[in-house]
Amino acid sequence: DAGVIQSPRHEVTEMGQEVTLRCKPISGHDYLFWYRQTMMRGLELLIYFNNNVPIDDSGMPEDRFSAKMPNASFSTLKIQPSEPRDSAVYFCASRGTSGTAEQFFGPGTRLTVL
Amino acid sequence: AQSVTQLGSHVSVSEGALVLLRCNYSSSVPPYLFWYVQYPNQGLQLLLKYTSAATLVKGINGFEAEFKKSETSFHLTKPSAHMSDAAEYFCAVTNGGTSYGKLTFGQGTILTVHP
């Protein structure tokens, strides 16, 4: 299996622009998580889905952030408009229902907003 | 509610020395506990996990951790540090169950290994 795939790996954009981050979970996994990692705040859970349905979005910072999961193999995290404080590494993770709650992480997208 | 506290944001050891990274958790029900490792510019990789079976858990790269309910701890150890162990380590907790997916992570401990 290819593992969790994220694209792009790096994104540099200017303040006010729309940013879309993409994630393909491991085939057969029915949970998908979006995290943000910064030096100041550490690893934060933004939102997670179960069977393509958002379960908990309490970590989404504000209305500028939105996430969708149109099908079991694809999810997006969108920031519109982007701000410099959104600069961070964004991770996607997935897990299956059976087993012991282990999450498998993607390599992350490093976002820089100028 | 659940939470994780990692004592010490930075730990420095000499190559060959014992590695001890501390993790204490809070959970209202029996927890599942995890240690993840993050190498520079990479995602998190699972080192080991406790899921209510044996209290001493062995993981990859020679690491192990012991679940101590009375101390609400899950400290990570390795008898002899290698230079390649330098990374950031995260402890995480969940209340378990196949339908409860959310992990709560600690703030991380950066391990430095000196020659």
Side-chain angles (χ1 to χ4, degrees):
Chain A
D1 199 316
V4 176
I5 298 172
Q6 291 187 248
S7 64
R9 291 294 311 276
H10 301 272
E11 176 81 28
V12 180
T13 190
E14 294 190 348
M15 184 174 62
Q17 296 298 306
E18 177 179 295
V19 175
T20 300
L21 311 182
R22 297 173 175 81
C23 175
K24 176 179 170 57
I26 292 173
S27 177
H29 282 187
D30 47 13
Y31 283 87
L32 184 139
F33 305 81
W34 282 100
Y35 292 90
R36 179 173 67 177
Q37 186 178 38
T38 61
M39 291 290 290
M40 291 297 294
R41 300 175 66 91
L43 195 62
E44 304 172 274
L45 176 64
L46 300 177
I47 185 171
Y48 78 95
F49 296 82
N50 180 216
N51 291 322
N52 312 334
V53 176
I55 303 301
D56 183 351
D57 65 354
S58 60
M60 295 287 263
E62 49 197 273
D63 292 345
R64 297 184 298 106
F65 285 69
S66 63
K68 294 181 179 179
M69 192 164 186
N71 58 62
S73 59
F74 183 66
S75 178
T76 60
L77 179 67
K78 186 174 293 186
I79 308 172
Q80 166 63 19
S82 58
E83 296 183 2
R85 60 191 168 125
D86 302 329
S87 297
V89 181
Y90 291 81
F91 289 104
C92 177
S94 71
R95 60 157 284 201
T97 300
S98 61
T100 53
E102 173 186 347
Q103 294 182 19
F104 295 81
F105 281 75
T109 295
R110 182 174 296 276
L111 174 65
T112 303
V113 183
L114 304 174
Chain B
Q2 55 196 27
S3 65
V4 172
T5 301
Q6 292 184 236
L7 299 176
S9 58
H10 291 80
V11 170
S12 181
V13 301
S14 298
E15 192 173 19
L18 171 71
V19 176
L20 171 60
L21 305 183
R22 299 177 186 274
C23 172
N24 288 89
Y25 70 91
S26 172
S27 177
S28 56
V29 298
Y32 288 176
L33 292 156
F34 304 82
W35 277 100
Y36 282 83
V37 60
Q38 184 180 27
Y39 299 103
N41 300 313
Q42 295 186 25
L44 278 70
Q45 176 185 358
L46 184 70
L47 268 181
L48 49 79
K49 59 187 176 184
Y50 166 76
T51 56
S52 73
T55 57
L56 181 62
V57 181
K58 294 186 184 299
I60 62 172
N61 301 338
F63 284 92
E64 63 182 36
E66 186 172 9
F67 172 70
K68 292 187 176 180
K69 183 178 178 180
S70 61
E71 299 177 8
T72 61
S73 69
F74 191 56
H75 301 332
L76 182 70
T77 61
K78 181 175 180 177
S80 177
H82 292 172
M83 297 295 291
S84 59
D85 295 327
E88 188 164 15
Y89 293 79
F90 293 90
C91 183
V93 64
T94 183
N95 285 339
T98 58
S99 61
Y100 193 75
K102 188 174 176 178
L103 283 177
T104 300
F105 284 88
Q107 283 297 99
T109 298
I110 295 173
L111 175 66
T112 303
V113 182
H114 297 288

